[in-house]
Amino acid sequence: MSFREVLTRRGDRLHLEDVAVARLAEEFDTPLYAYSRAALVERAERFERAFGNTPHLVAYSIKANLNLAIAHVFTRCGLGIDVTSRGELERALRVGARPENIVFAGAGKRADEIDLALAVGIRMLNLESLEELECVATRARERGTVAPVAFRLNPDIDPQTHPHIATGLRTAKFGIPIEEAREAYARAKALPGIRVVGVDFHIGSQITSLAPFREALGRMRAIVLDLQADGHAIEVIDVGGGLGVEYTGQDRPPTPEDYVGVVRKTVGDLGATVVIEPGRSLTANAGVLISRVLYRKTNGDRRFVIVDGGMNDYLRPMLYGAHTRIETDPLRPGSEAPVDVVGPICESTDRFAEDRLLSPVEPGDLVVLRDVGAYGFCMSSTYNGRPLVAEVLVNGERADLICERQTVEETWARERIPEESP
Ligand SMILES: *Cc1c(COP(=O)(O)O)cnc(C)c1O
């Protein structure tokens, strides 16, 4: 079952739910991130429902989109949250996630981050090294408490995705090698201050076929059986995130139902609660970035459309070579022609699309980048002295500002000029 369309054309004008994109640009200025609430809810509910009667926790990987309003939509849908830092943990609490529905990942957790996780009583810490295990044990004993932990195991799987977002290969910095799991669990079990509760893995992001998941899940199933035979009570199997989304119109990623089906089939019968940590697949397709066309020009035989959004606002095309679908508003008559869609940043790589067939545009028209709801705004910067842009959440005919546009003064508000020495 495919998802409902997020962006629709009514006549020649684009709409996000029932709000004209042109109205959003008018009211909130550009560049502007806009998200469809219905799209977020649809995805959350489909993951939830797909689990049926299997004990589970869908923990939204909040790093995909940090905005409080977005995370709040998910906690309202009953989801937990997967965090990777103190800042994310505090956001999760701020939007009302119950501590027992929060899991904490990351190869480099600092002592203060571990302390906060123990103080609020999260579901579990996903550990990524034996030194981290010792640190967590010490912090827990000092507090007179016991830390619930899992090890993030590295199953050595090639997720067939972009190398920058593959995390489950032997050479990645993440997790501990799966062959060393039994030894690590034995050490953890012997340590005062530690309670082993589960296993965890996460093999990468934007995975568009089920094969790597099947392979990794098969290895996890085998190791869980080994650990159970060793006498460990595995209450939680955390299978990470990574489900891919439709970016090009041809990706055909598995649906939440397909993916959860494989998860249930492989590890659903081991007597443990299954945790999944989707990030991208919950938010990517729900968001658009609206920019305004500033100028058109031709250099040699290349035609350029220069827009007011840049790589500081949306980095994925430049960071990963990510293909981004682009719509124009209004849709003008005339045949499509290949253009480069570029931003105003002083870098040659500041290009959203190369040789893209686009309908004619004129200065003042809108250019809408699709599927930017994950790893979009949260990766933006003030490079070139550009204030962070605004974000809005659309719900039916309603559009609420969920992050104010930064002012120029705010971009330097925390900077200081020291007094010059005489
Ligand atoms: C980033 C991350 C996720 C989410 O990945 P997506 O590809 O966005 O679904 C889940 N778990 C961990 C540990 C992560 O680092």
Side-chain angles (χ1 to χ4, degrees), residues 61 63 82 105 152 202 204-206 241-243 277-280 375:
S61 190
K63 78 174 192 282
D82 159 49
R152 174 165 175 180
H202 170 70
S205 199
Q206 184 53 14
L243 181 61
E277 305 171 343
R280 186 190 307 276
Y375 309 107

Side-chain angles (χ1 to χ4, degrees), residues 256-295:
E257 292 79 10
D258 295 339
Y259 165 70
V260 170
V262 169
V263 171
R264 290 176 74 188
K265 208 167 124 198
T266 328
V267 297
D269 64 337
L270 296 173
T273 297
V274 178
V275 175
I276 61 167
E277 305 171 343
R280 186 190 307 276
S281 50
L282 283 170
T283 61
N285 301 138
V288 297
L289 177 60
I290 306 165
S291 291
R292 216 176 264 289
V293 174
L294 298 173
Y295 309 108

Side-chain angles (χ1 to χ4, degrees), residues 199 219-229 234 237 270:
V199 297
R219 289 187 196 178
M220 292 305 288
R221 177 182 180 84
I223 197 70
V224 168
L225 293 172
D226 285 347
L227 293 171
Q228 287 175 338
I234 303 299
I237 300 176
L270 296 173

